[in-house]
Amino acid sequence: MVGATLVTLAGVALPTTASATVETDPTPAAPKKLFTIRDDRIKESSGLAKSVKHPGTYYTVNDSGDTGRVFAIDATTGKVEAVLRFGAKVTDVEALGVDRDGTIYIADIGDNKADREQIEIYTIPEPETLEDADVKYHQFDFKYPDGAHDAETLLIEPGTSQLYIVTKELKGTGAIYAAPPAPTRQGTNDLSKLAPAPSGIITDGTFMPDGQRVVLRTYTDVATVAWGDTPTAIARGAAVLGQGETVAVGPTDNTVLVGSEGANSAIYQLTAPAKAVASTPPSASATPKPATASDSNNADSGKNHNLRWIIIGASLFALIITIVTFPPGRRERRDRQAENDRLTGQGPPTGHRRA
């Protein structure tokens, strides 16, 4: 009975589920300075995207106040290789992207006062040769389903070129909005709200080449998001100092480039934050893993403390039952002693009178 009681109580006290948390990359590689943008025309780099047609080239744009133009940057020297002028009257360009076919997307989505009736995304083709040129553009107009929002992040899904916009909120949490699968240039396209955005003031983002992860940039860090029906941040890592404004796919599949606003903006390469060793929720048939020292100092220590008191209480209860309820052999010996005392005329010992 005592054994069954202890097993039952212990089973109730053991944790049966594990909550998912955003983990900090335990061993992030040190950021590597890749190049510095040294051009007087680029004073507020507010978007960064990797070229598809020209290896070693990245595109950038200025924040609000500039004309419609895109700069091609040599990732080795930081020098401007070409200026692509597309002639649109832009309002507040905040993000760039390049799809798998080499189309450049210029996202005019900034709205600090949240009073724009619509936002625009312009597309231009990547040039075959990098030289200054006036290029033709296409304009796509979009509208949020729930009023105006400020945004600085454009995401382009690698396999389908599906567009997503992540809003920037100074208070509360932003959101992820999806464009129609095939936006039209006739009329205004309605965006649809997909999911809440991860925490933080999000200033840029990019899909990683596998299409399964997105890296989002805030003023202070970068977050890796597992993409799906409910995009979820799974890891975060510190970014270099400065007003973090840009992030783009790096030279290799698991790296990103990050940059800041201002003249002579330095661009750093770092590894996309990765989740630490994933923990598997224990099941009825699983063998529990031993807790680490850090675990025992946190939530699990409280559970273990409660479990110890439950076991101690159950043991005391079993001891009381043992004292009150005599085993059959001891009861028989006591009865024989009482019968002998009666036959010999001796009184029962004090403290052992039967009722």
Side-chain angles (χ1 to χ4, degrees):
M1 179 186 72
V2 174
T5 301
L6 291 175
V7 169
T8 301
L9 291 173
V12 171
L14 288 175
T16 57
T17 59
S19 59
T21 57
V22 180
E23 301 187 22
T24 302
D25 194 339
T27 56
K32 173 187 175 182
K33 186 175 178 180
L34 201 62
F35 61 91
T36 299
I37 301 175
R38 301 186 187 279
D39 193 292
D40 292 340
R41 294 169 292 180
I42 304 173
K43 300 184 183 300
E44 290 185 286
S45 174
S46 191
L48 194 67
K50 184 180 182 180
S51 170
V52 170
K53 292 187 176 182
H54 303 285
T57 295
Y58 282 80
Y59 298 105
T60 191
V61 289
N62 276 315
D63 204 336
S64 59
D66 200 1
T67 57
R69 57 181 177 175
V70 175
F71 300 90
I73 307 293
D74 186 314
T76 302
T77 64
K79 294 182 178 180
V80 172
E81 297 178 284
V83 180
L84 308 176
R85 297 177 293 268
F86 59 95
K89 187 177 180 180
V90 297
T91 301
D92 189 358
V93 175
E94 291 287 356
L96 277 180
V98 180
D99 70 12
R100 59 183 178 177
D101 298 322
T103 298
I104 303 173
Y105 293 72
I106 304 104
D108 189 353
I109 57 177
D111 191 3
N112 292 327
K113 296 182 180 179
D115 59 1
R116 294 178 65 174
E117 293 184 0
Q118 67 180 33
I119 54 177
E120 293 80 40
I121 295 178
Y122 303 96
T123 63
I124 61 175
E126 274 203 82
E128 296 301 324
T129 58
L130 291 173
E131 58 186 7
D132 293 356
D134 295 320
V135 296
K136 293 182 178 180
Y137 69 91
H138 290 156
Q139 177 177 331
F140 298 86
D141 301 327
F142 297 90
K143 185 177 181 179
Y144 293 100
D146 50 1
H149 294 280
D150 188 22
E152 297 186 3
T153 301
L154 174 68
L155 303 175
I156 305 175
E157 200 279 324
T160 63
S161 296
Q162 169 73 49
L163 303 179
Y164 301 92
I165 293 173
V166 185
T167 59
K168 173 188 177 184
E169 299 292 343
L170 299 180
K171 296 181 180 179
T173 303
I176 302 171
Y177 293 83
T184 177
R185 288 188 285 141
Q186 307 300 319
T188 302
N189 297 275
D190 291 325
L191 298 168
S192 58
K193 191 172 183 178
L194 177 66
S199 62
I201 301 174
I202 299 172
T203 58
D204 202 4
T206 182
F207 265 97
M208 298 303 284
D210 59 15
Q212 303 300 312
R213 297 168 295 154
V214 164
V215 173
L216 296 177
R217 179 84 159 95
T218 73
Y219 286 132
T220 58
D221 67 4
V222 289
T224 297
V225 175
W227 198 252
D229 292 337
T230 305
T232 304
I234 57 173
R236 286 184 181 271
V240 292
L241 297 177
Q243 184 174 334
E245 286 287 344
T246 60
V247 63
V249 173
T252 59
D253 287 351
N254 289 316
T255 61
V256 293
L257 301 190
V258 295
S260 302
E261 279 193 345
N264 297 324
S265 174
I267 305 298
Y268 290 85
Q269 176 182 324
L270 53 85
T271 302
K275 188 176 181 180
V277 178
S279 59
T280 303
S283 61
S285 59
T287 302
K289 296 181 180 180
T292 63
S294 58
D295 291 337
S296 62
N297 290 332
N298 295 299
D300 288 346
S301 63
K303 295 177 181 178
N304 293 336
H305 182 73
N306 293 336
L307 179 59
R308 286 196 297 271
W309 279 111
I310 291 173
I311 294 175
I312 291 172
S315 301
L316 291 175
F317 177 77
L319 180 60
I320 293 172
I321 292 298
T322 302
I323 294 173
V324 174
T325 307
F326 293 97
R330 181 175 178 183
R331 184 181 299 113
E332 291 174 2
R333 290 194 299 272
R334 188 184 63 179
D335 290 344
R336 285 197 300 270
Q337 181 65 43
E339 182 65 15
N340 290 337
D341 292 342
R342 186 183 65 80
L343 294 175
T344 58
Q346 298 179 4
T350 302
H352 291 279
R353 185 183 302 275
R354 286 187 69 186

